[in-house]
Amino acid sequence: MSSRRNFLKRSAILSSLGGFFSLQAGAFSLRGKIGAATGPVIISTWNHGLPANEAAWQKMQEGGSALDAAEAGVRVPEGDPNVMSVGYGGLPDADGYVTLDACIMDGNNQCGSVACLENIKHPISVARRVMEDTQHVMLVGEGALEFALSKGFKKENLLTPRALKAWQSYKKELEKKRSIINIENHDTIGLLVIDGKGEMSGACTTSGMANKIHGRVGDSPIIGAGLFVDGEVGGACATGVGEEVIKQAGSAMVVELMRNGMAPEEACKEVLRRIVKTNGKKIDFQVGFLALRKDGRYGAYALKRGFNFAVYDSKGNNLIDSPFMKN
Ligand code: ASP
């Protein structure tokens, strides 16, 4: 995590930042290329969000849609062997298999998902093909792999020597206790975009909890849990212990709370309050939510210190520490 913290950090006062109505003079050259009367905003989880945001922003400059941008953004950590929690180089499960989960969704409730997918470097792109080329939403395991191969995706070994070594040394320790988060074993990328026309999309992709039981699927590929986007309201995504997010229908709930008038940060916090209530006082795990409202206002909240997220808006691409609950 230490390298993650080498990026520019900002304080956790989020509510007043970002949004369509806070244009800064320095941003107009980028905005002009996108041709937006209102400004695009991209937010994504953790510091691997910074290069992901760059790619997403670039995609929009080239004329891509919000969906194109969301996909292009998360493909960066998926393809980076040094990001050991997403895609290629992701830490394996308890049996040594790298199994990937991903989903993608636009503002019109169109979505696609893959879970427990092996040997495909970019599960997010397979999820998009599920969304666009089939009548289904979700494909899993062998079937998802066969589908990917039928669409021309290449079968690759995703287990890097570094991930194998890290897994071997984590394994003994992790078997003794619940997986520790906020270290390199457990960090999804979730990314939310509003493009220059106000269209929204999101993407979420992960190798999931390190040392998980083979076949385990977390929140990340589950629409409504790891990701939810409603073009009329906004979007949300999650990171952390997926089981806790699934139990609350986390991202859909954040969006629903925003629909009912809560600010993004407050909506994230409310779902975390429910997680705390369910678990009692002792919280020894991390969950973080990000939310982006249709008007460009964004917020985040986490159970524990250590969650951060990247925001690309009129102020540039910056890493921000999330506020967290004091439990
Ligand atoms: N939420 C993911 C999962 O439970 C992992 C993470 O965000 O770190 O699979």
Side-chain angles (χ1 to χ4, degrees), residues 7-21:
F7 291 96
L8 175 66
K9 286 188 179 179
R10 287 199 170 179
S11 75
I13 304 164
L14 309 178
S15 315
S16 59
L17 297 178
F20 291 175
F21 307 108

Side-chain angles (χ1 to χ4, degrees), residues 272 286-289 300-305 307 322-325 327:
L272 294 170
Q286 177 69 300
V287 173
F289 287 107
Y301 227 88
L303 285 175
K304 299 275 180 194
R305 183 192 300 276
F307 176 43
S322 169
F324 55 93
M325 299 187 85
N327 56 55

Side-chain angles (χ1 to χ4, degrees), residues 108-175:
N108 299 310
N109 293 83
Q110 299 308 300
C111 48
S113 161
V114 289
C116 212
L117 175 62
E118 290 178 52
N119 299 113
I120 300 291
K121 196 184 266 179
H122 292 296
I124 197 67
S125 297
V126 185
R128 184 165 178 182
R129 298 303 290 267
V130 174
M131 167 179 159
E132 292 181 337
D133 298 357
T134 80
Q135 57 180 326
H136 308 304
V137 166
M138 189 170 196
L139 296 178
V140 304
E142 275 296 314
L145 177 61
E146 278 165 29
F147 173 78
L149 297 177
S150 79
K151 294 291 174 185
F153 289 85
K154 218 171 68 205
K155 201 168 175 176
E156 294 175 71
N157 176 21
L158 305 180
L159 185 61
T160 58
R162 187 175 166 213
L164 178 61
K165 212 171 151 206
W167 170 71
Q168 283 164 342
S169 57
Y170 275 139
K171 195 167 161 51
K172 276 186 192 157
E173 199 189 328
L174 289 176
E175 270 166 3

Side-chain angles (χ1 to χ4, degrees), residues 101 186-188 206 208-209 216 218-220 238-243:
D101 299 336
H186 207 262
D187 291 342
T188 296
T206 190
M209 192 184 283
R216 179 264 189 188
D219 60 317
S220 306
T239 183
V241 175
E243 285 74 4

